[in-house]
Amino acid sequence: MLDQDFILQTRGLSVYYDSKIAVTDVNLNVARNRITSIIGPSGCGKSTLLRCFNRMNDLIPSARVEGQVLFDGLDLYGPDVDPTEIRYEIGMVFQRPNPFPKSIYDNVAFGPRINGFKGDMDEVVERSLVRAALWDEVKDRLKASALSLSGGQQQRLCIARALAVEPRVILMDEPCSALDPFATLAIEELMRELSEDYSIIIVTHNMQQAARVSHYTAFLMLEETRVGFLVEFGESRKIFTNPEDERTEAYITGRFG
Amino acid sequence: MSKDVVSPPLGRGTRNAWKRKFLERAIAILLFLSSFLSILITAGIVAVLLFEAITFFVDVSFLEFITGTRWTPLFSSKQFGVLALVAGTTLTAVLAMVVALPLGLLSAIYLSEYSPDGVRRLVKPILEVLAGIPTVVYGYFALLFVTPILRGISGDIAVFNALSASIVMGIMILPMVSSLSEDAMRAVPRNLREAAYALGSTKLEVSTLVVVPAALSGIMSAFILAVSRAIGETMIVTIAAGQNPSFTLNPFVPIETMTAYIVQVSQGDAPAGSIEFKTIFAVALLLFAITLIMNLLSQYVVSRFREEYE
Ligand SMILES: Nc1ncnc2c1ncn2[C@@H]1O[C@H](COP(=O)(O)OP(=O)(O)OP(=O)(O)O)[C@@H](O)[C@H]1O
Ligand SMILES: [Mg+2]
């Protein structure tokens, strides 16, 4: 693939918490309008890596990032980059649904409002909720509290909220781990649809999920001596059927971690 | 538990279960009694207030009391218009809140959202110590320090005035407002802040659009608690605001609050049973009613504005 087919690239990316390293020298290319999943055992640095893509690690005082993260060629950690601007372009959905304790409408409108959006807000809210496959369920009660929704609905609301600012990338950190299998399938279906227009990176513990939804898979690992290093990265089909590294094979077949 | 749970084979288990049950009961009864006692005491106080106040209202019409604006029970021509005292209380409480609310909220936002951990760990205990300073100290601080400064600024300000007392009362309430609001704001889950940051919010937007609204019920109850505190505050106004009941909203002149009046009569030599003496029960009952209404209001507001998380 050509470089311009990659929306995000990391170059020698390492992350430290104080002096403790959590991600080691990761080089990863994230394809445009595809789903890339990051898998690996607990504590191997998946979330830490994901949070580099929208500079959420900036919020943790002890975190320090080395190396480069290129977003369409622009270094996100460059000197003139404002992290709040990046986050308009690169949205995030969290492990546990975290809607604001406001109405459904206000949740979706939050991003556009702080973004200074001047157009038709009703339309943005409807479009985002439709895209997140939630519109039909909530269209009659947009003024109701977001907390009156079920867990799966709340997570789709969080996706709608992220979509409302029209990001180009959506980061998802175990978005289904708090959901039942039915809601999980709904979110997976949604991701597949969204990947036509968005680039998605998903962290997951669920191997089947990674195999089902993602085009590419990155396998991170930790060992006694090294933490958060990339073992293997490639097409999911290959990683899950015919991995090159034996550690990957051990992990995906459940003989490890 | 269902009946067919296998009982422990040895007597020991059964006896422990019995002991535990007994202990549970005893504790429940103890807790009931202590809460009952405090209710009983409150009821007793209200009963005494009511009884004395009723004998007062035999002599003075309730309408005159509640609508009159001149309060001169200690003079020979007695008038019982409590609004003169209510005005003093309102004036000082409102001015104190004007000082305490904005500063308290701002400092809470700073401590909760902006300050580095070290600063917070240093400032929080200091705030709590400030809240423990005896109010008589604040009273003399108002009279001997703030009042001269105010009088230096404007010659229109009397030695005893509502302004000085209110400013200092605001300073006294400030730590409470700040500390309680900060507690409420820090209780807002971290993942709500992260959600807002991930949408491109600045720190200011996270604080004002997410954290403060989510903590609003806690902040409101801190505010209302502060108002109750200001209404009930006694020492500062007694020392610095004067003993001159006047139906005015002018903060530069001497006034008298309900609390200060009660102190004045209790300290003086009004004979028990006299009409002057009974006035303090009527005033105290009114004070009690106002505070009660404030508390009910607070409960209503808290339930009305609650933005629940989780
Ligand atoms: N805020 C933090 N401060 C210090 N260390 C942290 C912090 N967050 C994570 N770490 C450490 O960094 C390492 C990687 O954590 P991370 O959360 O990225 O792992 P993960 O792969 O997402 O794990 P999981 O699958 O359990 O979510 C862990 O050793 C963790 O203890
Ligand atoms: Mg994680």
Side-chain angles (χ1 to χ4, degrees):
Chain A
M1 270 200 281
L2 297 168
D3 260 14
Q4 58 258 40
D5 294 333
F6 300 125
I7 189 153
L8 282 162
Q9 294 172 287
T10 69
R11 299 265 170 84
L13 183 72
S14 297
V15 185
Y16 300 80
Y17 292 108
D18 289 321
S19 57
K20 202 171 104 273
I21 193 159
V23 168
T24 309
D25 192 25
V26 168
N27 294 294
L28 191 67
N29 293 326
V30 178
R32 193 183 306 278
N33 293 5
R34 292 285 181 277
I35 302 177
T36 302
S37 62
I38 302 174
I39 60 168
S42 188
C44 71
K46 303 181 294 295
S47 300
T48 305
L49 173 60
L50 190 73
R51 293 162 63 94
C52 289
F53 292 119
N54 63 346
R55 288 189 58 170
M56 284 298 272
N57 286 328
D58 290 21
L59 303 177
I60 300 169
S62 68
R64 184 164 54 84
V65 175
E66 278 175 9
Q68 286 186 313
V69 180
L70 302 179
F71 176 50
D72 265 341
L74 165 88
D75 184 7
L76 290 184
Y77 286 87
D80 300 328
V81 176
D82 176 357
T84 61
E85 307 251 311
I86 292 167
R87 296 180 194 135
Y88 291 138
E89 306 253 6
I90 305 177
M92 190 167 212
V93 175
F94 296 81
Q95 179 166 3
R96 287 186 35 196
N98 55 356
F100 299 125
K102 303 176 187 293
S103 71
I104 293 169
Y105 186 100
D106 286 343
N107 262 275
V108 182
F110 187 93
R113 275 185 190 141
I114 59 168
N115 205 348
F117 175 76
K118 289 284 184 297
D120 183 354
M121 188 65 82
D122 291 354
E123 198 244 305
V124 171
V125 170
E126 175 169 351
R127 178 155 35 90
S128 309
L129 286 169
V130 168
R131 296 233 62 173
L134 189 60
W135 174 250
D136 288 333
E137 288 156 71
V138 301
K139 61 171 184 264
D140 300 321
R141 49 172 179 144
L142 293 175
K143 293 283 166 235
S145 167
L147 300 171
S148 65
L149 299 174
S150 74
Q153 289 173 326
Q154 286 186 9
Q155 195 63 309
R156 274 178 284 153
L157 178 66
C158 292
I159 294 174
R161 183 175 67 182
L163 295 178
V165 290
E166 313 253 340
R168 292 195 280 152
V169 181
I170 303 170
L171 310 174
M172 298 181 161
D173 193 348
E174 302 186 45
C176 303
S177 66
L179 306 181
D180 64 48
F182 192 75
T184 299
L185 284 180
I187 302 266
E188 285 180 12
E189 181 55 39
L190 179 59
M191 287 167 58
R192 238 175 257 120
E193 277 167 30
L194 291 176
S195 72
E196 288 170 16
D197 302 306
Y198 302 87
S199 311
I200 298 176
I201 308 180
I202 174 177
V203 167
T204 178
H205 269 136
N206 181 334
M207 234 70 69
Q208 283 85 15
Q209 181 170 59
R212 272 196 305 263
V213 298
S214 69
H215 304 97
Y216 299 94
T217 296
F219 173 49
L220 286 190
M221 213 171 95
L222 79 174
E223 285 172 349
E224 301 275 302
T225 49
R226 287 202 295 167
V227 200
F229 62 96
L230 188 64
V231 175
E232 190 167 349
F233 175 55
E235 288 196 44
S236 301
R237 207 177 321 139
K238 179 146 187 322
I239 296 261
F240 286 103
T241 53
N242 186 19
E244 254 157 41
D245 197 294
E246 59 190 30
R247 290 168 297 187
T248 314
E249 179 164 10
Y251 184 71
I252 58 170
T253 53
R255 278 188 283 123
F256 168 88
Chain B
M1 249 185 257
S2 66
K3 270 196 204 131
D4 46 22
V5 167
V6 185
S7 52
L10 295 171
R12 207 168 138 256
T14 332
R15 202 171 64 222
N16 271 347
W18 189 86
K19 221 161 97 186
R20 210 164 44 232
K21 218 164 162 182
F22 175 77
L23 213 67
E24 287 283 325
R25 273 307 275 274
I27 287 172
I29 291 172
L30 200 74
L31 292 177
F32 170 76
L33 283 180
S34 50
S35 58
F36 188 69
L37 188 71
S38 60
I39 292 173
L40 208 69
I41 291 172
T42 313
I45 293 173
V46 174
V48 170
L49 280 182
L50 264 178
F51 177 77
E52 295 284 348
I54 285 170
T55 65
F56 170 79
F57 286 118
V58 169
D59 297 332
V60 177
S61 101
F62 181 71
L63 200 69
E64 184 200 333
F65 177 74
I66 208 73
T67 59
T69 57
R70 285 185 55 75
W71 181 259
T72 56
L74 305 181
F75 297 152
S76 50
S77 84
K78 296 187 192 318
Q79 286 192 289
F80 300 97
V82 80
L83 287 185
L85 296 178
V86 172
T89 294
T90 310
L91 177 62
T92 50
V94 167
L95 287 179
M97 296 318 282
V98 167
V99 173
L101 292 195
L103 290 179
L105 188 56
L106 286 178
S107 82
I109 291 176
Y110 171 74
L111 283 178
S112 161
E113 306 301 309
Y114 285 82
S115 71
D117 244 20
V119 172
R120 210 188 77 82
R121 267 204 297 274
L122 195 74
V123 171
K124 221 17 201 174
I126 293 179
L127 284 183
E128 259 128 51
V129 167
L130 276 180
I133 294 178
T135 55
V136 64
V137 176
Y138 284 103
Y140 281 101
F141 176 68
L143 184 64
L144 302 178
F145 184 74
V146 177
T147 301
I149 294 176
L150 292 176
R151 281 163 60 82
I153 297 170
S154 162
D156 296 339
I157 299 178
V159 174
F160 296 104
N161 64 79
L163 185 60
S164 170
S166 305
I167 291 172
V168 173
M169 194 158 42
I171 295 171
M172 179 199 76
I173 299 171
L174 182 70
M176 187 182 84
V177 174
S178 166
S179 189
L180 289 179
S181 306
E182 199 251 0
D183 288 344
M185 285 162 64
R186 280 185 76 83
V188 174
R190 188 187 150 73
N191 65 14
L192 290 187
R193 291 185 180 84
E194 289 199 327
Y197 278 119
L199 290 166
S201 307
T202 61
K203 201 165 218 171
L204 186 65
E205 285 160 345
V206 173
S207 310
T208 55
L209 302 178
V210 175
V211 177
V212 169
L216 198 63
S217 72
I219 294 172
M220 288 278 207
S221 54
F223 284 8
I224 292 175
L225 207 63
V227 174
S228 302
R229 188 75 201 275
I231 290 172
E233 170 48 36
T234 310
M235 251 6 233
I236 298 174
V237 286
T238 304
I239 293 170
Q243 298 193 332
N244 182 17
S246 46
F247 186 67
T248 176
L249 292 179
N250 178 357
F252 294 168
V253 299
I255 50 110
E256 185 163 46
T257 65
M258 293 191 271
T259 50
Y261 173 77
I262 295 174
V263 172
Q264 188 190 359
V265 176
S266 316
Q267 290 295 303
D269 41 26
S274 69
I275 187 77
E276 298 94 305
F277 183 77
K278 285 181 195 158
T279 54
I280 63 176
F281 291 97
V283 172
L285 186 66
L286 183 62
L287 198 58
F288 179 82
I290 292 174
T291 320
L292 187 69
I293 291 170
M294 292 297 302
N295 282 333
L296 293 177
L297 190 72
S298 129
Q299 279 176 17
Y300 170 76
V301 163
V302 166
S303 64
R304 174 81 181 61
F305 284 88
R306 168 152 278 157
E307 263 198 356
E308 263 171 72
Y309 25 87
E310 243 51 77

